[in-house]
Amino acid sequence: MTLREVLHRVGTALQTRLESHGIGLASAPPMPAFDFGHDWLPKSTAFNVEAYRAAADTVLSGRFAVFALERVELGFPPDWNRDPRTGTVAPLRFGKRIDYRDERLVGDIKYLWEPNRHLELVTLAQAFHLTGEPGYAEGARRLLDSWFTAAPYPLGINWISSLEHAVRLVNWSVAWQLLGGEASPLFAGESGQGFLRRWLDSIHQHCHFIAGHFSRHSSANNHLFGEYMGLFVAASTWRCWPHSNQWRELGYQGLEREALLQNAEDGVNREQAIWYHHEVADMMLLCALAARANGTDFSAAYWQRFEAMLDFIAALMDAQGHLPMIGDADDAVMVRFARQSDFCVYRSLLATGAVLCGRADFARKAGRFDDKSRWLLGDGAQTRFSELLDSAPAPPASTGRRDFAQGGYWVLGCDAGSAQEIHLVADAGPLGYLSIAAHGHADALAMTLSLGGHEFLIDPGTYAYHSHQAWRDYFRGTAAHNTVRVDRCDQSLIAGNFMWLKHARAHCEQWQPGQARDLWVGVHEGYRRLSDPLTHRRQILLDKCERTIEVTDQLLCQKSHFVELHWHFAEHCQVSVEDGRVIAVNGGSRLQMSMPDTAWQPRVVRGSESPILGWISRGFDQRQPIDTVVWSGMIDGNTRLISHIETE
């Protein structure tokens, strides 16, 4: 930490102590002015109503979807202070003094916080909007009333994190609109007005809390962006207090600033984590829609950065819609709008972006106008989407941008969008954002590969955050990525669940795309910290005519080192070893890999727990075995390892 950050954290600790004694807390909320902003959601109706009815009925029956617990019985309303995963009940004392990292005290905080974001409130509001049945609105009232009782300001785990407040406010804003706003039947009569006042009082407390507890310095990542989002959306929806204009302006200016700071000019989110890239793009989208509906807009630079972020998503997406799971992912969404079983957050952003930005190429990548886009843009937007889709060039006429040098990613490939597509993503980006690089993985010079939209070489994902320490360290370590590990050490040094002590510095030395071949060379110096410093340089050569890939790993050192080269195959791949060659088949595509210039022999590891190796995590707190191929051995001084890949 810098001295400035140390002083900031000392000040924050003092602020917490004072607040625990009642100094600096929000005073009793003044009588609201009942001044409300314009709805930023169109009143769309062209949905599969039964899907939304069924989802709401599931909530009313007390079954919630919480990460790996798809329909966990929590009751309705649930116990808001009980961890659904472990059953641990968190204490109801001053929130900022609760150690939310202590599993013995709160259980798994991710599981505990997730229901408290109130995504299910939106589900009930959607069902009410589509059916008009009062039982769904009454369910929303019961849910909120129970929460106000179980989470009194400023007590308990729901008064710790400003980001959690912000996401809850956005869900409240969406539900408010779908329930009818200030004209909702929920607010009729004396009891209804009492409920309205309780809700508005809590909104005021939420905004006051966020404004006084922003994530700063090394923590100023997506959390800070989300906090500005919540403050801006809330103050745009409920303009009821003397501070509302100030909160709205504070959120607006923060969003403008952080949109350009946290996302590189080429559109790559600086956290080096694809899921968080989507989350920040989604935050930008929701705020922009709220702004436009209320008579203002964000700058051209803001919109250009948003469009560039979608360019990056489109570039990383293969012919069947897969993106590599680079960096951390926790499956979190700001609002759970869609009920389609095959809903994809990335395709949805492209569909919405196609209409907002007039991009036919986004429409083709998205493939369809999804439910979330309809909730955000209205029924009529589908016509514009269809026009764009009809005008989009058929693949492989256009491949789009492939060089994202500021973010640290390059796309090698050919026959884009077709059944013959070769799609390879190479990584020479930073470890992560700011000094702690909270959501980065030790994946320098890693690569992923898909053929015809079938995944072969993959990034295994994340799996865990606050719990399962050994698994947390594995999934973000070097052995869990398609790159070289030296002396059983990670390229970067882990210092905590969301902190890195030493950062491997990587960069691209050469990039030569062409009609016949793509050539990429990257280097990192993460192993220069070893007693015998070692530099890793990787060259990837794609021969588009022969449809072969040659990966040359050059290890520059003076002494002996133990080296492992890991290749992680997707779960649908059938992997075998024949005469020192690795053969993998997935769908109608086939890959053959060999290292002809070494005596090392490949071994296949699947689902090992000691040591941990051969796993993939497609969702938070979920994992399954995969085949991981390892070539390993000793080197002595400068060494060149060549991996030859033939594709069919």
Side-chain angles (χ1 to χ4, degrees):
M1 294 183 189
T2 63
L3 176 60
R4 186 178 177 185
E5 179 169 4
V6 170
L7 294 175
H8 167 76
R9 294 190 180 275
V10 170
T12 299
L14 177 60
Q15 177 186 4
T16 297
R17 181 178 292 274
L18 292 173
E19 288 178 345
S20 69
H21 291 89
I23 302 172
L25 294 178
S27 56
M31 177 64 72
F34 296 105
D35 180 12
F36 305 106
H38 297 290
D39 287 355
W40 49 273
L41 291 181
K43 296 303 182 286
S44 307
T45 58
F47 297 98
N48 177 358
V49 175
E50 292 309 310
Y52 289 88
R53 185 197 299 274
D57 288 344
T58 298
V59 173
L60 291 176
S61 71
R63 290 171 290 165
F64 284 56
V66 190
F67 301 127
L69 306 176
E70 293 186 3
R71 288 195 172 190
V72 60
E73 296 280 354
L74 299 185
F76 190 85
D79 182 343
W80 297 108
N81 295 300
R82 181 185 296 274
D83 169 21
R85 185 170 174 272
T86 66
T88 303
V89 178
L92 197 63
R93 61 175 188 245
F94 182 70
K96 294 293 286 184
R97 298 296 291 269
I98 296 174
D99 183 3
Y100 66 87
R101 300 176 180 86
D102 187 346
E103 290 185 67
R104 297 168 299 178
L105 186 65
V106 303
D108 188 325
I109 194 62
K110 283 291 292 181
Y111 273 91
L112 185 48
W113 272 339
E114 187 68 11
N116 287 279
R117 289 186 164 193
H118 288 182
L119 278 70
E120 287 75 16
L121 177 68
V122 171
T123 301
L124 296 173
Q126 287 175 315
F128 173 73
H129 168 72
L130 293 175
T131 68
E133 296 178 14
Y136 296 122
E138 177 60 22
R141 186 198 63 77
R142 287 181 58 203
L143 186 148
L144 283 168
D145 255 342
S146 70
W147 192 88
F148 300 148
T149 300
Y153 173 78
L155 307 179
I157 53 90
N158 286 304
W159 295 96
I160 296 174
S161 166
S162 289
L163 178 62
E164 299 305 310
H165 287 71
V167 176
R168 191 158 48 244
L169 282 173
V170 172
N171 280 278
W172 284 2
S173 176
V174 171
W176 170 272
Q177 297 170 68
L178 295 176
L179 289 168
E182 66 270 28
S184 172
L186 288 178
F187 307 139
E190 184 177 350
S191 64
Q193 286 295 294
F195 168 63
L196 173 60
R197 181 64 194 272
R198 289 192 296 278
W199 196 356
L200 292 176
D201 285 353
S202 189
I203 292 165
H204 179 273
Q205 291 163 343
H206 275 63
C207 291
H208 181 277
F209 186 96
I210 294 172
H213 300 92
F214 284 116
S215 299
R216 299 295 191 188
H217 299 284
S218 61
S219 299
N221 52 15
N222 73 88
H223 280 233
L224 179 60
F225 204 96
E227 291 154 11
Y228 284 130
M229 168 195 67
L231 200 60
F232 177 77
V233 169
S236 298
T237 305
W238 303 283
R239 305 178 300 200
C240 302
W241 304 281
H243 283 97
S244 294
N245 287 337
Q246 178 184 338
W247 288 334
R248 188 170 187 270
E249 184 64 18
L250 182 60
Y252 178 88
Q253 294 297 334
L255 290 164
E256 280 278 3
R257 181 177 60 255
E258 294 301 318
L260 305 186
L261 285 175
Q262 296 194 29
N263 305 299
E265 191 174 346
D266 61 11
V268 179
N269 181 261
R270 297 186 189 278
E271 294 222 58
Q272 312 302 129
I274 302 303
W275 188 264
Y276 285 94
H277 179 102
H278 131 263
E279 284 193 4
V280 171
D282 203 37
M283 293 177 193
M284 293 177 68
L285 170 62
L286 298 178
C287 292
L289 295 177
R292 285 185 168 181
N294 284 278
T296 188
D297 203 349
F298 287 93
S299 67
Y302 180 100
W303 279 104
Q304 289 165 1
R305 200 59 52 97
F306 173 73
E307 187 172 350
M309 295 178 76
L310 301 193
D311 268 320
F312 181 61
I313 290 175
L316 260 62
M317 185 177 288
D318 70 15
Q320 293 190 27
H322 304 112
L323 275 79
M325 298 186 292
I326 297 168
D328 270 351
D330 66 355
D331 292 356
V333 294
M334 297 303 101
V335 182
R336 188 183 294 135
F337 280 107
R339 285 295 163 186
Q340 294 152 311
S341 59
D342 57 349
F343 174 75
C344 172
V345 296
Y346 304 109
R347 287 187 185 271
S348 179
L349 276 172
L350 292 175
T352 306
V355 176
L356 292 175
C357 304
R359 292 285 296 268
D361 55 336
F362 289 173
R364 177 162 293 280
K365 281 282 189 175
R368 71 174 184 188
F369 192 72
D370 64 290
D371 272 12
K372 180 189 171 192
S373 297
R374 187 181 302 279
W375 283 111
L376 293 177
L377 303 181
D379 296 328
Q382 182 164 5
T383 300
R384 177 57 177 153
F385 178 85
S386 298
E387 293 171 351
L388 290 165
L389 186 60
D390 291 342
S391 68
S398 175
T399 58
R401 183 173 183 174
R402 298 196 289 143
D403 174 357
F404 298 86
Q406 290 177 318
Y409 301 99
W410 289 259
V411 181
L412 292 72
C414 60
D415 300 318
S418 73
Q420 290 74 46
E421 177 187 75
I422 296 177
H423 189 269
L424 188 154
V425 178
D427 178 357
L431 175 64
Y433 186 47
L434 302 175
S435 62
I436 61 174
H439 293 297
H441 288 190
D443 55 5
L445 309 192
M447 57 173 272
T448 61
L449 175 67
S450 68
L451 304 175
H454 300 290
E455 293 180 292
F456 278 81
L457 301 176
I458 52 90
D459 186 308
T462 300
Y463 180 56
Y465 268 13
H466 296 280
S467 57
H468 310 297
Q469 186 66 58
W471 292 94
R472 171 67 174 153
D473 291 347
Y474 166 73
F475 273 99
R476 60 188 182 139
T478 303
H481 299 89
N482 300 317
T483 187
V484 172
R485 186 170 75 157
V486 178
D487 293 340
R488 297 184 174 87
C489 297
D490 290 325
Q491 301 160 339
S492 299
L493 285 179
I494 294 172
N497 280 338
F498 300 97
M499 186 180 298
W500 295 85
L501 185 61
K502 297 286 187 180
H503 297 202
R505 309 292 178 182
H507 66 275
C508 174
E509 285 190 337
Q510 192 173 359
W511 167 238
Q512 294 181 355
Q515 292 292 325
R517 70 174 200 170
D518 289 341
L519 175 66
W520 177 87
V521 180
V523 63
H524 84 83
E525 299 181 351
Y527 292 122
R528 297 292 299 173
R529 72 178 192 272
L530 300 178
S531 58
D532 174 46
L534 182 148
T535 298
H536 177 202
R537 177 177 287 107
R538 168 168 280 188
Q539 174 182 289
I540 302 175
L541 176 63
L542 167 62
D543 187 318
K544 301 179 184 182
C545 299
E546 298 295 327
R547 299 182 65 81
T548 61
I549 303 165
E550 188 173 86
V551 182
T552 302
D553 289 302
Q554 188 177 10
L555 306 171
L556 304 176
C557 56
Q558 296 182 0
K559 299 180 181 179
S560 297
H561 296 274
F562 179 70
V563 171
E564 302 158 284
L565 184 54
H566 295 93
W567 300 106
H568 302 272
F569 286 87
E571 63 270 38
H572 300 299
C573 290
Q574 298 176 6
V575 180
S576 60
V577 176
E578 299 178 10
D579 299 325
R581 295 170 299 143
V582 175
I583 298 171
V585 178
N586 187 4
S589 300
R590 185 176 185 271
L591 172 155
Q592 179 174 293
M593 177 185 292
S594 61
M595 292 185 68
D597 297 331
T598 180
W600 297 356
Q601 292 298 306
R603 59 188 176 93
V604 179
V605 180
R606 182 177 181 84
S608 171
E609 296 191 25
S610 183
I612 300 174
L613 188 64
W615 297 91
I616 190 171
S617 174
R618 291 287 184 186
F620 188 76
D621 201 29
Q622 301 175 55
R623 68 176 193 264
Q624 66 183 103
I626 58 170
D627 290 324
T628 294
V629 174
V630 186
W631 268 281
S632 62
M634 296 296 299
I635 65 169
D636 190 11
N638 293 344
T639 302
R640 188 185 303 268
L641 302 172
I642 300 176
S643 303
H644 186 71
I645 301 173
E646 299 176 15
T647 70
E648 299 177 17

Coordinates of all heavy atoms in Angstrom, one line a residue, residues 146 178 470 640:
S146 N -40.2 -8.2 5.3 CA -39.4 -9.1 6.1 C -37.9 -8.7 6.1 O -37.3 -8.8 7.2 CB -39.5 -10.6 5.6 OG -38.9 -10.8 4.4
L178 N -41.7 -2.2 -12.4 CA -42.6 -3.3 -12.8 C -43.8 -3.5 -11.9 O -44.8 -4.0 -12.3 CB -41.8 -4.6 -12.9 CG -40.7 -4.6 -13.9 CD1 -39.9 -5.9 -13.9 CD2 -41.2 -4.4 -15.3
A470 N -7.5 -24.3 -0.8 CA -6.6 -25.0 -1.7 C -7.1 -25.0 -3.2 O -6.4 -24.8 -4.1 CB -6.4 -26.5 -1.3
R640 N 14.6 -24.9 -25.5 CA 13.5 -24.6 -26.4 C 12.6 -25.8 -26.5 O 13.1 -26.9 -26.8 CB 14.0 -24.2 -27.8 CG 12.9 -23.7 -28.8 CD 13.6 -23.5 -30.2 NE 14.7 -22.6 -30.1 CZ 14.6 -21.3 -30.3 NH1 13.4 -20.8 -30.5 NH2 15.7 -20.5 -30.3

